[in-house]
Amino acid sequence: MSASLQNDPSLTTPAPARGDRSGNLGIARNLGLVIALIVLCIVGVITAGDRFASTDNMLTILRLAAVIGVVSIGMTFVITGGGIDLSVGAIVALASIWATTTGTQAMADDFGWIAMVFSAVLVGTACGVINGVLIAYGKVVPFIATLAMLASARGLAEIIADRKTQIIRNQGFTDFFGAEPLGIPVIVIIFALVTLAGWFLLNRTTFGRRTFAVGGNPEAARLAGIKVQRHTVYLYALLGSTCGIAAVMLMSRTTTGSSTHGTLYELDAIAAVVIGGTLLSGGRGTVVGTLFGVLIFTTLTNVFTLNNLSTSAQAVAKGVIIVIAVLLQQRIANRKT
């Protein structure tokens, strides 16, 4: 690390300590998200009663939140770093297909189900690296590069699977990921661990501070000694790896690999990240906010489902929430300016 980078206080001070005003703003934002989640729960209890408040339904909400939540944690890093990724759903589908091919499952029979997990994460990471290289070194706009990956990954998944759903036959895989130690599903535990790791990485490491710097002002970050292009590749690779993990979690829920897995995940992940308070323009991000954003959207979907409301109404409600969140972000940004 260069001397200029070591002497830059904005990169050596953890994010929460960058100023009382910023810290208070983050606390207020998270408090607002908690209140919104509580209001949704109250609405759920009023409209659906015990069907919503039951333990089984709470676990159902957490299971649904877990898969998209892991993707959203990775998306938080990319958006904080000034990027965007529209291909996450397609990467999840490709990773699930690759990990459930006959060849991969034969390897799992010989070497254990970990081979399927490794395959999914490796494919997701490779897709992320390709995105990162195209954007950082190929100078392709993130929107275009990831849109191309969306089409390519989904198409490749369909070709490999011949548009057929692939069934998981490895009993060890289904037994491990279908378990519920202490009554908590394994995929929920994985979501919690990924969230904790993401929070630590973003807020307590040099990698996180460099992510804030790259997203806030890439040129200033370059002058401070940060390898901006290389760091951008790392961010997309990180998101790709979370897509691979999400694919494994989705495979465990459905016991299948399918080219239709992950449909519209990119929109749900971006929405959760924006609702959580991460700036679309980069430079500010919060894993805790993303967690609440995921829970809010998942709870909203659950309430709508229990009340037999159409998916169209759900889409309208999500759209309104996203617009309100972006308007609030702009207002906060204008106040800070």
Side-chain angles (χ1 to χ4, degrees), residues 94-125:
L94 178 59
S96 75
I97 286 294
W98 207 295
T100 55
T101 58
T102 302
T104 305
Q105 294 203 59
M107 288 179 57
D109 292 337
D110 294 334
F111 302 103
W113 54 263
I114 195 67
M116 297 172 66
V117 175
F118 180 78
S119 175
V121 175
L122 183 62
V123 168
T125 304

Side-chain angles (χ1 to χ4, degrees), residues 278-309:
T278 297
L279 285 180
L280 278 172
S281 57
R284 190 186 77 195
T286 162
V287 170
V288 174
T290 296
L291 170 63
F292 283 120
V294 170
L295 292 176
I296 286 172
F297 273 122
T298 308
T299 304
L300 178 67
T301 299
N302 183 260
V303 170
F304 272 68
T305 301
L306 291 177
N307 287 280
N308 296 319
L309 297 175

Side-chain angles (χ1 to χ4, degrees), residues 32-285:
L33 293 171
V34 171
I35 293 173
L37 184 59
I38 291 174
V39 169
L40 273 177
C41 291
I42 293 173
V43 171
V45 171
I46 293 173
T47 58
D50 292 339
R51 289 186 301 153
F52 176 83
S54 67
T55 302
D56 287 343
N57 189 59
M58 294 296 106
L59 289 176
T60 297
I61 292 175
L62 290 176
R63 286 190 188 96
L64 293 174
V67 179
I68 189 61
V70 168
V71 176
S72 300
I73 297 300
M75 186 71 78
T76 301
F77 280 84
V78 166
I79 294 180
T80 301
I84 197 77
D85 194 335
L86 303 180
S87 65
V88 291
I91 294 175
V92 169
L94 178 59
S96 75
I97 286 294
W98 207 295
T100 55
T101 58
T102 302
T104 305
Q105 294 203 59
M107 288 179 57
D109 292 337
D110 294 334
F111 302 103
W113 54 263
I114 195 67
M116 297 172 66
V117 175
F118 180 78
S119 175
V121 175
L122 183 62
V123 168
T125 304
C127 291
V129 169
I130 293 171
N131 279 336
V133 170
L134 287 174
I135 292 165
Y137 295 99
K139 305 300 181 183
V140 180
V141 177
F143 181 90
I144 300 300
T146 58
L147 188 62
M149 177 59 74
L150 182 156
S152 301
R154 186 77 69 180
L156 182 57
E158 292 176 351
I159 292 171
I160 294 173
D162 194 23
R163 295 180 179 269
K164 297 176 182 177
T165 299
Q166 300 179 160
I167 307 299
I168 295 176
R169 301 184 308 275
N170 187 281
Q171 193 61 41
F173 179 92
T174 54
D175 288 345
F176 179 84
F177 288 99
E180 295 187 3
L182 301 177
I184 303 175
V186 167
I187 63 172
V188 175
I189 295 174
I190 293 173
F191 177 34
L193 293 175
V194 170
T195 301
L196 288 173
W199 179 87
F200 182 82
L201 186 62
L202 187 62
N203 295 283
R204 291 293 184 268
T205 67
T206 302
F207 183 89
R209 292 189 284 273
R210 288 176 176 174
T211 300
F212 285 117
V214 170
N217 191 326
E219 182 60 20
R222 186 187 67 80
L223 294 175
I226 297 175
K227 304 294 185 182
V228 174
Q229 291 175 312
R230 185 170 63 186
H231 192 80
T232 299
V233 175
Y234 289 161
L235 291 175
Y236 281 93
L238 175 63
L239 176 53
S241 66
T242 59
C243 288
I245 295 171
V248 172
M249 297 164 70
L250 191 55
M251 287 157 50
S252 71
R253 273 184 49 204
T254 62
T255 65
T256 64
S258 173
S259 59
T260 61
H261 280 340
T263 302
L264 297 182
Y265 271 23
E266 52 277 354
L267 300 182
D268 289 341
I270 293 171
V273 171
V274 171
I275 290 297
T278 297
L279 285 180
L280 278 172
S281 57
R284 190 186 77 195

